[in-house]
Amino acid sequence: MNQASRTSRPTILMVAYHFAPENVSGTHRSLHFARDLHEAGYGVRVITVSESRIKSIDRSLSDVFPYPESITRVDHGSTIGSLYLSAKRSDSAQQAATEPSGQVDPAQRAENNRRGFLTRPLAFLKRQVAAWDVLPDERRGWYKPAVKAGLELGNTERIDAVFASGPPWTAVMVARKLARELKCHLIADFRDPWTGNTGRQTPYDAEWCHWIAKRWEQRTLREARLVLFNSPSIMEAAGRSSGAVNASKLRSIPNGSDMRRREFESPIAAEGQLRIRHFGNLYRGRSVQPLVSALQALIRDGSLEPGEVCVELIGRIAAEVQELVASPPDGVEFRAVPTLPYTEAAELMMEPAVLLVVQPSNLNVQIPTKLYDYLCTGNPALVMAAEDSATWAAARSFGRCARLHPAESTSNEDVLRKLVDSWRSGNLKQERTVEDTEALSKKAVGEMFLGAVAPILRNQTGDSRDR
C-alpha cells in the first residue's frame, strides 16, 4: 500500500465518466451506488469528466450525491486523432482562404489525383491509426488525465478499491490501471456488453481491434475482485466466454428505480386521445416503424379512428425517426419533445399513458434503464423486443406489459387492437405498484450492491487482487 495518510474507514474510488449533473441513462447507476456507499459509512471519491464535455445537464441530479468536495473532474487529453483533425481543419481553412471560391485548376486536380494514387498506402495506415484512436472507445483521450488524477488522489489517502462502470470502457481501463498501481481491489460494472464475448455486436471495423478489445475484456474479468452486470444475460455470456474466471465473483444487480410507487389503481380515461409515450433517446437503429405500421393497419380496418392515438417521443431522436415525425402517415399523430430534466420526465412518466420500450434484436442481452421506471409507474407498457430478450424476460411477469415484435408483424396489430379495446371499455388502468416493484427500488438494489461489496472490504490487508 502507498504511504498516503490512512483513514479509519474503507474508501472506494469511483471512476464514473457519466455522473451528476449529466442527464443521461449511464449516470444513474454509478450516482446511486456512490450514495449507497456514502450512506453506509464508506469513504467515496469520484473521478468524472469535466462539465465542459457534458451536453445535457440536470442540476437536480447532484442532490443524489451532494458532496462536490469528493468529486474530481478531469478533461480529455489529446490523442493522435484529435491532433490530426485539428491540423486538418487548419489546413482546410488556410486552403479556403487562398483559393478563389468555386475555381479548381485542372493541372492542380491532375496533380492531386497522382498524389492520391501514390498515397494509398498512407491512407490505409491512417485508417489503422484512426481505429486505434477509438480503442476501447471515443473517450480514449480521457484515459491518461483520469489515471493521473487517480494516482494523485491515491498519494494523499488510502484507496481500498476502485470501481468503474462501462460504457464508456475507457473508464474501466482507467480503473484497471489504478487498481494495479494502487494495489487494491478492482470492481468492474458492465452496464452493457463490451464485446462479442458478452453479447455485443462489436462496432470496430478492423479485425485486430476485435481481438484487442476481447483481450482487454478478458483481462478485466480475470483481474477484477468483483464483476457486476445489470442483466443476467450479460453475466451468463461473460461466464460462458471466460471459463477460467471464478463464477462466484460475477453478480447480476439490476438498475432499479426511485420512481414514486402508486398506492392505488386508477383507470385511464377513455375520452380524448390514447397517448403512447417513449422516454429517452431513440438512437439510430431504434425504430418505431413497427408500431406505426400496426396503428395504420388498425385505422384501415376501422378498429381505430384517425388521430385517436398520439405517439409522443420525449428525448433526442435519430434522423430516420425525425423524418417520420415530420411527415407522419395518414391518421397517426406524433409529438416530439426535447430531452427533459429527470424530475420533469419522471412526473410526465407518472401521468396516465401507455409507455413504450424500443429494444432492437441486436441488443437482446441488455435491459434499458427506463424499463424499471416504467414498471414502477403502474402504467401499461408496450415492450418492442424479441421474445428471447433480457428486456422481455424482465417485463413479462408484469401483466401490464405486452410485447410488440421488433419487426413489422400482424401480431403487433392484435396486441394494439386488444389494448385499444381495453381502453375504450374503461379497463385500461394504472395499477398499484407498492408490493410488486419493491425489489426494483433503489434501496433494494443498493442493499444488493453493498452486500456484494462489503465482504471484499472487510479484510483490507494482503494482496487484494484475485488473479
Side-chain angles (χ1 to χ4, degrees):
M1 191 65 67
N2 57 56
Q3 300 301 313
S5 61
R6 295 169 178 262
T7 60
S8 60
R9 59 179 181 171
T11 297
I12 296 183
L13 173 59
M14 303 191 73
V15 183
Y17 188 93
H18 299 302
F19 203 76
E22 186 174 15
N23 186 23
V24 295
S25 60
T27 293
H28 298 275
R29 192 166 170 92
S30 295
L31 178 61
H32 285 86
F33 283 170
R35 179 186 68 179
D36 297 331
L37 289 165
H38 178 83
E39 292 180 350
Y42 293 103
V44 182
R45 299 293 180 267
V46 180
I47 293 179
T48 187
V49 74
S50 63
E51 285 198 14
S52 62
R53 295 277 176 170
I54 299 176
K55 295 181 179 179
S56 179
I57 290 180
D58 179 359
R59 295 292 176 191
S60 67
L61 291 174
S62 297
D63 295 338
V64 177
F65 188 76
Y67 312 104
E69 69 280 359
S70 297
I71 302 173
T72 301
R73 297 194 175 274
V74 183
D75 201 356
H76 284 221
S78 297
T79 65
I80 295 175
S82 65
L83 293 172
Y84 168 76
L85 289 174
S86 178
K88 188 174 181 181
R89 282 193 293 267
S90 178
D91 289 345
S92 297
Q94 186 176 8
Q95 185 176 0
T98 57
E99 290 185 0
S101 177
Q103 297 181 16
V104 180
D105 182 11
Q108 184 62 48
R109 183 188 292 117
E111 177 64 14
N112 290 343
N113 290 338
R114 184 185 71 83
R115 288 182 179 177
F117 176 77
L118 294 175
T119 58
R120 282 175 188 169
L122 290 177
F124 172 80
L125 178 61
K126 187 190 300 181
R127 287 195 297 272
Q128 306 313 306
V129 172
W132 171 255
D133 206 50
V134 293
L135 271 174
D137 48 49
E138 291 80 2
R139 273 70 172 195
R140 180 185 177 89
W142 193 66
Y143 177 84
K144 288 184 178 180
V147 168
K148 180 182 178 183
L151 293 177
E152 289 175 352
L153 196 59
N155 285 328
T156 61
E157 61 182 289
R158 171 176 172 166
I159 301 297
D160 298 283
V162 184
F163 168 96
S165 183
W169 301 108
T170 291
V172 176
M173 296 293 288
V174 169
R176 181 170 161 244
K177 175 69 172 177
L178 290 174
R180 293 177 70 88
E181 293 294 326
L182 300 176
K183 295 182 173 58
C184 64
H185 302 292
L186 171 62
I187 301 173
D189 180 42
F190 283 53
R191 296 196 317 276
D192 291 330
W194 187 346
T195 74
N197 287 340
T198 42
R200 182 185 185 188
Q201 292 186 354
T202 181
Y204 306 117
D205 293 329
E207 186 60 34
W208 60 269
C209 292
H210 295 264
W211 182 84
I212 290 177
K214 288 181 178 181
R215 186 177 178 86
W216 284 344
E217 180 184 58
Q218 292 300 305
R219 286 181 174 179
T220 299
L221 292 171
R222 286 197 304 269
E223 294 177 17
R225 181 63 179 81
L226 175 68
V227 188
L228 305 177
F229 306 86
N230 72 352
S231 156
S233 300
I234 305 176
M235 184 183 72
E236 291 164 6
R240 288 193 299 269
S241 69
S242 309
V245 174
N246 185 350
S248 65
K249 68 179 182 180
L250 308 182
R251 296 284 296 272
S252 176
I253 298 179
N255 283 320
S257 173
D258 265 346
M259 188 71 65
R260 288 187 291 113
R261 269 52 175 179
R262 290 193 58 80
E263 297 286 346
F264 53 87
E265 293 184 352
S266 177
I268 296 177
E271 62 268 11
Q273 286 182 316
L274 177 62
R275 293 171 295 178
I276 299 178
R277 285 177 168 168
H278 178 276
F279 289 82
N281 299 332
L282 276 172
Y283 301 105
R284 184 176 181 181
R286 296 179 186 244
S287 175
V288 294
Q289 186 59 57
L291 169 66
V292 173
S293 296
L295 289 173
Q296 284 184 287
L298 264 61
I299 291 172
R300 286 195 298 268
D301 69 17
S303 301
L304 191 65
E305 295 295 325
E308 199 171 16
V309 171
C310 181
V311 180
E312 299 182 352
L313 308 176
I314 297 95
R316 293 193 297 274
I317 55 180
E320 56 264 36
V321 182
Q322 290 176 0
E323 293 176 4
L324 192 62
V325 173
S327 302
D330 291 341
V332 180
E333 287 194 18
F334 280 97
R335 178 172 174 250
V337 179
T339 301
L340 297 174
Y342 178 76
T343 51
E344 291 183 29
E347 287 302 315
L348 203 59
M349 205 179 290
M350 287 293 296
E351 292 182 1
V354 178
L355 305 180
L356 175 66
V357 174
V358 179
Q359 194 72 348
S361 297
N362 64 323
L363 302 178
N364 260 11
V365 298
Q366 299 170 234
I367 302 175
T369 303
K370 69 173 72 70
L371 176 64
Y372 300 106
D373 289 336
Y374 283 8
L375 294 174
C376 294
T377 67
N379 272 315
L382 293 172
V383 180
M384 192 184 298
E387 188 168 11
D388 62 349
S389 66
T391 297
W392 181 237
R396 70 190 313 158
S397 61
F398 294 85
R400 52 186 174 272
C401 296
R403 189 181 76 87
L404 293 179
H405 198 284
E408 296 190 20
S409 169
T410 55
S411 64
N412 291 345
E413 300 169 25
D414 297 334
V415 170
L416 289 179
R417 188 174 290 108
K418 183 178 179 181
L419 181 77
V420 169
D421 289 345
S422 179
W423 170 61
R424 285 206 182 110
S425 63
N427 293 322
L428 195 63
K429 61 186 178 182
Q430 291 179 295
E431 297 185 7
R432 173 184 167 88
T433 57
V434 176
E435 293 87 9
D436 65 351
T437 60
E438 183 178 0
L440 301 180
S441 69
K442 290 288 190 193
K443 180 180 179 181
V445 170
E447 289 173 353
M448 293 176 64
F449 172 69
L450 293 172
V453 170
I456 296 174
L457 298 174
R458 283 178 188 148
N459 181 4
Q460 303 172 47
T461 62
D463 184 0
S464 61
R465 286 174 291 171
D466 182 10
R467 298 291 185 184

